[in-house]
Amino acid sequence: MSQPHDSGQFGLLKQRRFGPFFWTQFLGAGNDNLFKFAFTVLVTYQLQLSWLKPEMAGLVIGALFILPFVVLSASAGQWADKYDKATIMRSIKLLEIAIMGLAAWGFFTLTVPILLLCVFLMGVHSTLFGPVKYAYLPQHLSPAELTGGNGMVEMGTFVSILLGNLTGGLLMSLGPQGAHYTALACLGVAVLGWWVSRSIPPSPSSAPNLQINWNPVSETWRNLQLAYQYPSVFRSLLGISWMWFFGAVFLSQFPSFARDVLGGDTHVASLLLVVFSIGIAVGSLWCERLSHRHVEIGLVPIGAVGMTVFAFDLYQTTAGMHRQPGADLLTVTAFVADHRHWRVMADLSLLAFSAGLYSVPMYALIQLRAQPSHRARIIAANNILNALFMIVSSLGAGAMLSAGFSISEVFGATALLNVLVVGYVFWLMPEYIIRLIMLLVTRLVYRLKVRGDEHIPTDGAAILVCNHVSFVDAVILGVISPRPMVFLMDHRIFKNPVLGWFFRLCKAIPIAPQKEDPEAYERAFERARQVLQEGDLLCLFPEGAITRDGQLQPFKGGIMKILETHPVPVVPAALHNLWGSYFSRIDGAAMSKPFRRGLFNRVGLVVGEALPAAEVSPERLQDEVRDLLAQPSP
């Protein structure tokens, strides 16, 4: 894995480990959508087929495209784990050239069954590429780069979707020759994608001895069971799959929505895709800025709320709209001139922006926490779930439309369903809500800057020790950790009426002095050992209590009791500038003068290098933390 660079997420494009891969997936996604959208326009606006009605064309094409994800994802995940990922990507690009050659014949002869077959085959192409794409990133990016890299991939995917759809729509608007131009464009993009893929660097196998199971049913079941072994990963898979369910409802209906509800022509449908794609691209890119180069899943609930609010507002805005029989289709100029349509575009862009905030952290979380040797198969399991959810989405939307519901009502029902499904995912995995609260505290109440956070291990058992300055030290430390952190804290703070509920949600471990409650004391250490036994990250404050004078207090020896049975690395850390802030005890009680330092309190955290357990003593740890406090605040 390469070391992180300071040039930011766009700087990755200049590096061979990311640039050729990015443009390969960019061209592949663009070609998928150039072909599919051009074909959808062909059967929606230009051909009149009794067996494929215009309002059902988008659903049929979408269902054919995602069907291979159900059948072949299991095998694709095995190949991606067993073989070099760069070699697989180049082979997939050669397959794309062959498929687009067949599609070119279908466009020239206007043979719809052949084009439907090519939709299915491009689904095969994407099925094979998906596990490789997301398993490639953590092999070449550091944990600090994963959110930015995923944001770039998501941005690139939706910009390429935008360009593909725009190009497909424009080519098909050129009259009878439009299908011919589309055929040549699809073939040309496929060849260009293969040429770029030749520069992707080697990506060695993560499981070279893997025995491939060719039974798609049993392997699919095994992949789902494999993903289920990692609860946070599996629940994130469900969350991502729901996002694809949600998005498929909107994307598949854009041509019909533009024509039948808004009364627009093909260019209006393209405009809606422009607005949607820009929204999700901006949301994806903003993930790195909002997360400060961490895998910040606290953004997920914010995105989920936005998806519901703006999808439901889109329903309310368009509920009374419909194209009058015989009315001319609106051009883009006429469409934009109607002020009601500005609200439609705002809803679509903000809905898509929210979807970007929702999805990128989930993808990064899966890549970070999935076991490397099983990563591609975990992602294959995600693709299987995505496909199943999208098929159900297509069937559900089709059933509602066939039953007489309008497209706007389908959008409204999807918005309401989002509340139930996402709420259930957050109930299963409260870590999302915990991280949201931590994010709000450290972004709204405080202005936090961090130095040395790369020393916090991303896997394996470890202990982090820190000075204890305020009631929210655990919140600040938790938000900079790349994974959940279990806190050993004073039982009086744990029982705090304002913050106690949050500490319980975090599964913090309350500890009482041995003289006060010997059973609670021993129970706390037993739970702490269990945390380390499970390979998790434990945080404790060796001073034993919040400072009352702002000075570092002597460290107690409780940590040695833990290290006796679990000799794990110990990471020292120091909180800067919290003394005198909202939740410190500068005047004997927190919040006695909350705005003493103004509205926003600038605080810092400095993390030092881990110490081997054999070198740890309370005195050594205190010296390490004191040295970190003596450093300039970040």
Side-chain angles (χ1 to χ4, degrees), residues 203-530:
S203 300
S205 164
S206 55
N209 298 321
L210 176 67
Q211 295 295 317
I212 293 182
N213 175 13
W214 295 101
N215 185 328
V217 176
S218 64
E219 184 61 25
T220 295
W221 180 247
R222 190 164 68 178
N223 280 355
L224 292 173
Q225 288 180 313
L226 184 66
Y228 191 74
Q229 293 175 12
Y230 304 87
S232 64
V233 171
F234 184 73
R235 290 160 188 170
S236 296
L237 298 184
L238 293 177
I240 289 172
S241 296
W242 170 252
M243 191 273 292
W244 283 105
F245 177 108
F246 186 93
V249 172
F250 291 87
L251 289 172
S252 66
Q253 293 301 317
F254 272 170
S256 298
F257 179 64
R259 186 192 62 190
D260 299 333
V261 177
L262 302 177
D265 59 14
T266 56
H267 298 297
V268 172
S270 297
L271 175 63
L272 298 183
L273 285 164
V274 169
V275 170
F276 190 89
S277 299
I278 290 175
I280 204 162
V282 173
S284 298
L285 291 176
W286 263 76
C287 282
E288 188 194 45
R289 179 182 294 271
L290 294 173
S291 64
H292 292 237
R293 302 192 73 181
H294 283 285
V295 177
E296 183 47 78
I297 61 175
L299 298 174
V300 174
I302 298 174
V305 170
M307 288 163 63
T308 289
V309 169
F310 298 114
F312 193 75
D313 191 67
L314 179 64
Y315 154 68
Q316 289 187 310
T317 303
T318 60
M321 297 182 184
H322 61 277
R323 179 190 173 198
Q324 296 297 328
D328 292 335
L329 295 175
L330 297 175
T331 63
V332 170
T333 303
F335 176 81
V336 172
D338 189 334
H339 67 89
R340 296 177 303 166
H341 296 152
W342 282 92
R343 184 171 168 182
V344 171
M345 291 188 288
D347 282 332
L348 281 176
S349 63
L350 291 171
L351 182 159
F353 178 87
S354 301
L357 294 183
Y358 176 90
S359 62
V360 168
M362 283 189 171
Y363 276 117
L365 178 75
I366 291 168
Q367 292 163 357
L368 184 66
R369 296 189 185 174
Q371 191 174 345
S373 61
H374 297 79
R375 190 178 283 135
R377 279 168 285 170
I378 295 289
I379 293 165
N382 183 33
N383 288 340
I384 294 166
L385 289 172
N386 290 348
L388 292 173
F389 274 62
M390 291 170 72
I391 289 171
V392 173
S393 168
S394 296
L395 294 174
M400 287 189 70
L401 292 172
S402 299
F405 289 92
S406 68
I407 294 176
S408 297
E409 288 169 337
V410 171
F411 290 170
T414 305
L416 294 177
L417 195 57
N418 188 56
V419 176
L420 300 176
V421 174
V422 174
Y424 178 67
V425 171
F426 294 159
W427 178 75
L428 287 176
M429 190 176 172
E431 185 185 350
Y432 289 111
I433 304 301
I434 292 170
R435 296 290 301 200
L436 172 62
I437 294 168
M438 291 178 172
L439 183 68
L440 293 176
V441 169
T442 54
R443 298 291 185 269
L444 300 181
V445 179
Y446 292 107
R447 288 293 185 267
L448 174 65
K449 291 190 175 181
V450 183
R451 183 170 64 245
D453 52 323
E454 68 274 8
H455 298 310
I456 300 175
T458 57
D459 54 51
I463 300 174
L464 186 140
V465 299
C466 190
N467 57 321
H468 208 357
V469 191
S470 76
F471 285 96
V472 293
D473 292 349
V475 174
I476 293 172
L477 291 169
V479 81
I480 58 90
S481 175
R483 56 182 171 140
M485 188 185 298
V486 179
F487 295 91
L488 191 66
M489 62 172 54
D490 188 297
H491 69 113
R492 289 162 295 190
I493 297 176
F494 184 83
K495 295 175 182 177
N496 183 284
V498 177
L499 297 172
W501 65 272
F502 177 73
F503 296 138
R504 287 190 293 273
L505 192 63
C506 293
K507 298 181 180 178
I509 303 171
I511 184 169
Q514 188 174 20
K515 293 181 180 179
E516 181 180 325
D517 191 340
E519 291 186 7
Y521 179 81
E522 290 299 331
R523 189 165 54 247
F525 279 103
E526 183 58 36
R527 288 184 59 192
R529 295 187 191 99
Q530 185 179 355

Side-chain angles (χ1 to χ4, degrees), residues 530-596:
Q530 185 179 355
V531 168
L532 298 177
Q533 183 69 34
E534 294 172 356
D536 293 328
L537 186 59
L538 177 70
C539 177
L540 52 86
F541 303 98
E543 294 167 277
I546 296 174
T547 179
R548 292 185 178 275
D549 59 7
Q551 300 301 309
L552 189 65
Q553 306 301 308
F555 280 20
K556 300 183 185 301
I559 188 172
M560 306 308 297
K561 187 178 177 70
I562 299 173
L563 292 176
E564 285 176 4
T565 56
H566 293 78
V568 300
V570 180
V571 181
L575 288 163
H576 286 243
N577 298 333
L578 261 90
W579 183 248
S581 68
Y582 295 101
F583 298 103
S584 67
R585 285 174 163 169
I586 190 169
D587 290 319
M591 298 296 289
S592 58
K593 294 180 181 178
F595 300 107
R596 177 187 295 103

